[in-house]
Amino acid sequence: MSSPPEGAGVDFFAQGGLPVPLVTVEQAAGLAATSFGMKVRAFPLGSQQDCNFLLAGDGGPAGVLKIANPAFSRTEVEAQDAAAELIAAAGLRAGVATHGPVAVPLAGGPALARVLRYLPGGTLTGPGYLSPRVVAGLGLVAGRVSRALRGFDHPGLDRVLQWDLRHGLRVVTVLAEHVRDPELRARVTEAASGAWRRVEPLAGELPWQAVHGDVTDDNVVCSVVRPGVNGLRTPDGVIDFGDLTRSWAVGELAVAITSVLRHAGAEPCSVLPAVRAFHAERPLSAAEVAALWPLVVLRAAVLVVSGEQQAALDSGNEYVTGALEHERTCLDQAVSVPVEVMTALMTNELGFPGPGPRVAPGTAVADLGRVSVLDLAVQSDVVDEGAWLSPGLAGRMALARLDGGADAVVTRYGEARLDASRVLAETSPATVATGIELWLARPVTLGAGSPGSPGSPGEELVLTVPGGGTVLPARTAVQVGVRVAGGPEVPWLVRPEYAAGWLALTADPGPLLGLPPAVPAGDLVGGDLLDRRSAAFADVQEHYYADPPRIERGWRHQLAAVDGRSYLDMVNNVAVLGHAHPRLAAAVDRQLRKLNTNSRFHYGVVAEFAERLAGLLPSPLDTVFLVNSGSEAVDLALRLALVTTGRQDVVAVQEAYHGWTYASDAVSTSTADNPNALATRPRWVHAVDAPNAYRGRYRGASAVWYAADAVRFIAGLAADGRPPAAFLAEPFYGNAGGMALPDGYLSAVYAEVRRHGGLAIADEIQVGYGRLGHWFWGFEQQSVVPDVVTVAKAMGNGYPLGAVITSREIAGKYRDAGYFFSSTGGSPVSCVAGLTVLDVIADEGLQANAALVGSYLKGRLEELAGRHPLIGAVHGSGLYLGAEFVRDRDTLEPATAETMAICDRMLSLGVVIQPTSDRMCVLKIKPPLCLDAAGADFFADTLDRVLTE
């Protein structure tokens, strides 16, 4: 048998197409046995030019059989193995050779076969969503590979490959004929030519070295937290060195980030975490940054033409034919944003000197007279119609100012505006202005002149006005901008993720109109503010999300970030009415302008509010204490019980949270809120089992036994001479995920604690005030009446307000033995806020809405559970729901890491949601009670998308 070529490297342009060697699984197993002495089974793995099989014995995976394309020489294969060893030595996992290479006979000629180390964990193959953390991991691996190979040299690197981006335009030119769709063929060749025109002048400045050439989602191996969930993978290894060659070093990154573009939810800005991570590991030069996005476009074009050629050569290769659509997606994404914008965006992201937002130089071409600046930002104080700009509101506000005497009304350049057109959307809307909008009281003629040079070599600025006219009309919105001549057409509004890139191609036109430069917009994401918060704010005061949006406005069940992006708020049970309710704001404003003082003064609203609260509860609950928070309410309720009974012991329920004060924290048993809750609980607190009918000791119909156990426990305490002063529990199980207690649970436990002289305390802080839909108070669901009720959160719709409601008898006993005073609990403003909340709940039918929309949303979630096995159960009532995620519906293993990843992905799609339970595997669904069916659908549809991807 003849042998594969020993020294000559392959030349793609001389060789032409390289079909995959035809080897069956039986032949592969036979080769493993005869050539390497391995008794294994073979399973085919995809490849475009080589032939790969997973080898598995009785003990599991034994390696990967790689049969190189017959065109590849022994020297090339040896170079690949040497590079793999070098990268493994650098600390990455790598597919190093464990056997071979040996020559094996094939129908198309002899080829080199070897066995490579099997790396567990899998790759990122497929179109599934990749989280920013995983994308960053891909960039980090590419950077580490590039650094490890920087000094590597070997004769086997002397080869000409179609994947070497130095030959990218030539590859596209040669292979374009294989693209059968003429429109696609024209797009590919145009994209490649345009990209090459940008790269060619930079080629002499681009360092080159040995490159892996294919550090992509298919070839990066990951350590796995949970298989099958891309967002939980940690890239830490690399396989498949078949494209090893010498090329531009920056090509390693270009290849990696191009592969990101084919994944669900990906767009050009999605690659930025990889660019940052690569740069941190192996710094990029300014020339490399300038060449990077053109190389991405070029790589995408090469993928399309190469895929079409290989499909024609090897139509039976499902790996090749199945990738065609994804390769076209890469191209579509790569050209969806102008190269200039992506280059400026990356330049800004990496901190390289760049033009940034500029002020247009030159002489003024207009005198606008008396100018009024219209503030349309998220933090604006002039936008008072709800919290979102309704269509046409800016124009109406501008004309009103003209009528008030202004000669002109102008907006700000670079400002992120409130958006009214796409309140609920999976992608951010275009909110950042690239020019100035103005309204004039009289027509204005632009003078002669044009913008000067911005100071950047080769750039010229041009003033843009609608239609190119020189006379600006009166009382009509006119958009004036300044952009770099010859650059791409600049949209009037751009998405905040790309704002830095677009604004680098524009300039503030204000000075040309006689206006001062706009104040810089600053950090639209809020990273600098987060650093300031961390520096001045105690760390224990946590915030949602590792990289949170900066939220500065709200309206109903929506929140607005400073970049103009809106989010569906699914966790804010404090804002029970919804955000920025105008009736509440007006009532509080009126009272603040009249009086706000401490509750020892005599005024009418405190009596009215106390009467109103007491009237909502059954007899004998007729006496009210007003405080500032739920923690204070629980603390006071416990003091009432201790003083009234003269005892010290309290019985609480496992996995519950009641507050942060000394007493309320002592009875809190949730390790999700306090990891040390169980270890630090004082001796006077006793906890009974969580009555969790889904995953606790008793499940389903057997959950009725929780009550019997609790009764025996209380009786045992009494028999030991420690009868409890109180039993404290949420009447609808909150932190565990919004679960109903087993039927009859509170009835039995209340009876037992009272039999021994103790009090029954119902913590309604989360579930009261109509949230459950069918009941205003959670204890009504259990058909009981507690001795003491605590309530807060919803009471003030975000204003600090809480209450303890009990009987006159219990309150009197506390009066005899203790004292109570709260400066602002029961203040005039807090009482007005509390009364207004109750009025709005009644007048707007929010409890009924919670029942109606909550039932609809629960049905949607249960339908999703039928299609997505990760959803183990849907708990709750009204708008207090919980979707519990499990890895196995039989073992109920909690899907904790997956739940966190889901929450992060939901945020990127416009939904604020958080996990709960001691296992942190339940979505706590507690939105404002004004949530409508459209919001419920958006939430369910978004969750469906995340679970599907």
Side-chain angles (χ1 to χ4, degrees):
M1 144 184 115
S2 60
S3 299
E6 288 295 317
V10 69
D11 184 337
F12 168 76
F13 298 105
Q15 182 73 35
L18 301 175
V20 171
L22 297 177
V23 180
T24 66
V25 292
E26 293 80 10
Q27 289 173 320
L31 284 174
T34 57
S35 299
F36 307 113
M38 302 175 68
K39 187 178 180 181
V40 291
R41 299 180 302 279
F43 302 89
L45 299 173
S47 177
Q48 188 174 49
Q49 295 176 341
D50 297 330
C51 191
N52 301 319
F53 294 88
L54 173 64
L55 303 179
D58 294 337
V64 173
L65 174 65
K66 188 173 190 68
I67 304 172
N69 195 286
F72 298 153
S73 70
R74 180 176 293 274
T75 305
E76 291 172 279
V77 170
E78 289 172 347
Q80 295 166 28
D81 290 343
E85 294 280 0
L86 188 63
I87 287 172
L92 286 172
R93 293 195 295 158
V96 299
T98 59
H99 299 79
V102 300
V104 296
L106 297 177
L112 293 170
R114 61 202 194 280
V115 177
L116 308 180
R117 179 179 298 153
Y118 170 75
L119 304 182
T123 67
L124 300 173
T125 297
Y129 169 74
L130 301 181
S131 73
R133 183 181 62 79
V134 172
V135 173
L138 176 64
L140 178 62
V141 169
R144 293 181 68 182
V145 166
S146 182
R147 192 157 58 87
L149 295 179
R150 186 160 44 195
F152 177 63
D153 194 20
H154 194 284
L157 298 176
D158 297 328
R159 54 207 310 234
V160 179
L161 301 182
Q162 70 192 98
W163 310 114
D164 184 346
L165 291 176
R166 293 179 302 166
H167 310 306
L169 180 61
R170 185 181 175 192
V171 171
V172 171
T173 302
V174 169
L175 299 185
E177 62 179 334
H178 295 283
V179 182
R180 290 163 293 181
D181 181 343
E183 182 179 350
L184 176 60
R185 182 166 60 249
R187 287 181 61 229
V188 171
T189 54
E190 181 182 357
S193 298
W196 189 255
R197 283 195 298 272
R198 296 176 183 278
V199 172
E200 192 173 25
L202 299 167
E205 302 177 59
L206 301 180
W208 59 293
Q209 62 172 70
V211 296
H212 177 283
D214 204 14
V215 182
T216 66
D217 53 351
D218 286 336
N219 293 327
V220 166
V221 182
C222 306
S223 294
V224 179
V225 174
R226 180 62 184 168
V229 182
N230 284 339
L232 303 177
R233 296 180 173 183
T234 302
D236 65 349
V238 64
I239 58 175
D240 196 351
F241 287 73
D243 295 338
L244 186 76
T245 189
R246 290 190 188 88
S247 187
W248 293 318
V250 69
E252 200 83 272
L253 177 59
V255 167
I257 62 178
T258 304
S259 72
V260 172
L261 298 178
R262 71 190 184 103
H263 285 266
E267 55 179 309
C269 67
S270 301
V271 309
L272 293 179
V275 176
R276 287 194 299 267
F278 184 97
H279 181 66
E281 182 70 20
R282 186 274 185 197
L284 296 161
S285 68
E288 287 178 310
V289 176
L292 181 54
W293 201 256
L295 289 176
V296 169
V297 175
L298 193 59
R299 165 72 173 184
V302 168
L303 286 174
V304 171
V305 297
S306 297
E308 295 281 354
Q309 182 222 19
Q310 199 69 19
L313 283 175
D314 201 1
S315 59
N317 188 333
E318 294 182 1
Y319 176 85
V320 171
T321 56
L324 294 178
E325 180 181 349
H326 301 313
E327 289 158 350
R328 293 168 191 159
T329 298
C330 289
L331 179 67
D332 291 342
Q333 290 287 359
V335 300
S336 65
V337 176
V339 167
E340 298 93 330
V341 173
M342 286 304 300
T343 300
L345 189 63
M346 292 185 294
T347 298
N348 177 77
E349 189 75 17
L350 300 181
F352 279 87
R358 293 171 289 195
V359 173
T363 56
V365 296
D367 179 6
L368 301 182
R370 291 166 298 178
V371 175
S372 175
V373 178
L374 189 59
D375 182 2
L376 302 179
V378 171
Q379 301 99 313
S380 171
D381 289 328
V382 301
V383 180
D384 56 6
E385 295 190 15
W388 312 104
L389 284 176
S390 61
L393 177 59
R396 294 194 299 273
M397 292 168 63
L399 294 178
R401 294 192 184 188
L402 294 179
D403 294 337
D407 294 322
V409 179
V410 301
T411 61
R412 293 193 182 107
Y413 165 77
E415 180 178 71
R417 301 178 172 185
L418 282 167
D419 177 76
S421 61
R422 300 171 65 194
V423 174
L424 295 179
E426 291 182 344
T427 58
S428 62
T431 58
V432 180
T434 59
I436 287 176
E437 197 166 8
L438 61 99
W439 293 260
L440 302 168
R442 64 184 186 282
V444 170
T445 300
L446 297 179
S450 62
S453 168
S456 298
E459 283 190 344
E460 177 186 351
L461 297 179
V462 58
L463 181 69
T464 63
V465 294
T470 59
V471 179
L472 306 182
R475 302 182 70 80
T476 300
V478 179
Q479 296 172 352
V480 178
V482 172
R483 62 178 176 81
V484 175
E489 196 68 30
V490 179
W492 171 241
L493 293 173
V494 297
R495 292 176 55 201
E497 293 90 338
Y498 299 96
W502 283 109
L503 293 179
L505 306 182
T506 68
D508 181 359
L512 295 179
L513 301 174
L515 304 172
V519 177
D523 185 3
L524 293 177
V525 179
D528 177 64
L529 184 69
L530 195 62
D531 292 339
R532 288 166 51 199
R533 169 181 169 138
S534 298
F537 212 46
D539 289 343
V540 73
Q541 301 172 93
E542 298 176 349
H543 53 77
Y544 291 146
Y545 304 105
D547 186 18
R550 180 179 168 186
I551 302 295
E552 294 285 359
R553 209 172 191 113
W555 176 244
R556 290 179 59 80
H557 48 280
Q558 296 143 34
L559 298 167
V562 291
D563 61 5
R565 176 79 190 269
S566 62
Y567 296 87
L568 177 66
D569 182 358
M570 293 299 291
V571 299
N572 217 314
N573 59 342
V574 173
V576 63
L577 309 182
H579 299 282
H581 198 287
R583 186 169 166 183
L584 178 61
V588 169
D589 176 64
R590 283 194 304 271
Q591 186 59 47
L592 275 172
R593 285 185 284 111
K594 293 177 183 177
L595 173 71
N596 198 28
T597 186
N598 77 64
S599 56
R600 283 182 170 167
F601 283 89
H602 182 46
Y603 44 88
V605 70
V606 69
E608 184 181 354
F609 184 42
E611 289 173 342
R612 185 77 170 274
L613 269 179
L616 291 168
L617 288 143
S619 178
L621 301 172
D622 58 4
T623 305
V624 176
F625 296 82
L626 291 176
V627 294
N628 299 301
S629 69
S631 294
E632 291 182 20
V634 171
D635 199 289
L636 177 57
L638 291 170
R639 293 182 65 183
L640 287 175
L642 299 180
V643 168
T644 298
T645 65
R647 300 170 183 170
Q648 294 296 317
D649 293 273
V650 173
V651 176
V653 178
Q654 293 277 17
E655 295 188 43
Y657 172 77
H658 298 288
W660 66 268
T661 63
Y662 173 75
S664 61
D665 175 67
V667 295
S668 293
T669 53
S670 169
T671 57
D673 295 283
N674 176 7
N676 298 314
L678 302 181
T680 60
R681 191 171 69 237
R683 292 185 66 252
W684 55 269
V685 178
H686 312 274
V688 296
D689 279 351
N692 190 323
Y694 177 65
R695 62 163 59 250
R697 177 186 301 181
Y698 306 118
R699 302 179 183 180
S702 299
V704 295
W705 292 104
Y706 285 116
D709 283 358
V711 165
R712 280 193 297 273
F713 184 82
I714 293 169
L717 281 177
D720 291 340
R722 304 182 68 178
F727 171 77
L728 169 69
E730 292 179 287
F732 204 92
Y733 206 23
N735 266 35
M739 294 184 186
L741 299 179
D743 290 343
Y745 181 83
L746 288 185
S747 178
V749 180
Y750 280 12
E752 183 64 15
V753 77
R754 285 167 173 160
R755 188 169 75 86
H756 298 287
L759 303 184
I761 303 174
D763 181 348
E764 295 277 353
I765 291 167
Q766 293 202 75
V767 301
Y769 263 53
R771 176 160 293 281
L772 298 178
H774 304 289
W775 309 278
F776 191 82
W777 301 107
F779 64 75
E780 294 175 306
Q781 186 264 341
Q782 287 275 307
S783 300
V784 295
V785 177
D787 299 302
V788 183
V789 171
T790 64
V791 61
K793 291 191 185 295
M795 287 184 70
N797 204 61
Y799 192 90
L801 182 57
V804 176
I805 307 103
T806 188
S807 67
R808 177 65 52 181
E809 178 186 5
I810 292 172
K813 289 182 178 180
Y814 184 75
R815 179 71 177 90
D816 294 338
Y819 74 96
F820 172 74
F821 171 66
S822 175
S823 294
T824 53
S827 71
V829 171
S830 66
C831 290
V832 163
L835 278 170
T836 306
V837 168
L838 289 174
D839 288 340
V840 173
I841 288 174
D843 295 347
E844 296 186 2
L846 294 184
Q847 182 180 342
N849 187 69
L852 181 66
V853 177
S855 176
Y856 173 70
L857 177 55
K858 188 173 185 180
R860 288 285 327 262
L861 295 175
E862 288 171 339
E863 185 275 329
L864 293 183
R867 294 189 286 108
H868 298 291
L870 198 66
I871 303 178
V874 180
H875 312 301
S877 173
L879 287 175
Y880 199 105
L881 304 175
E884 183 154 357
F885 296 115
V886 296
R887 294 173 178 171
D888 185 293
R889 287 185 175 179
D890 293 324
T891 66
L892 302 188
E893 180 187 358
T896 301
E898 291 89 334
T899 305
M900 294 299 296
I902 288 167
C903 290
D904 287 341
R905 176 60 172 145
M906 295 281 280
L907 180 72
S908 74
L909 296 174
V911 177
V912 174
I913 191 71
Q914 285 289 291
T916 188
S917 92
D918 280 6
R919 291 153 293 279
M920 297 297 282
C921 66
V922 184
L923 294 185
K924 55 180 174 183
I925 302 168
K926 307 180 294 185
L929 299 190
C930 58
L931 182 75
D932 54 20
D937 279 334
F938 183 75
F939 174 74
D941 291 344
T942 305
L943 180 58
D944 187 19
R945 172 179 173 177
V946 171
L947 294 174
T948 299
E949 291 177 352

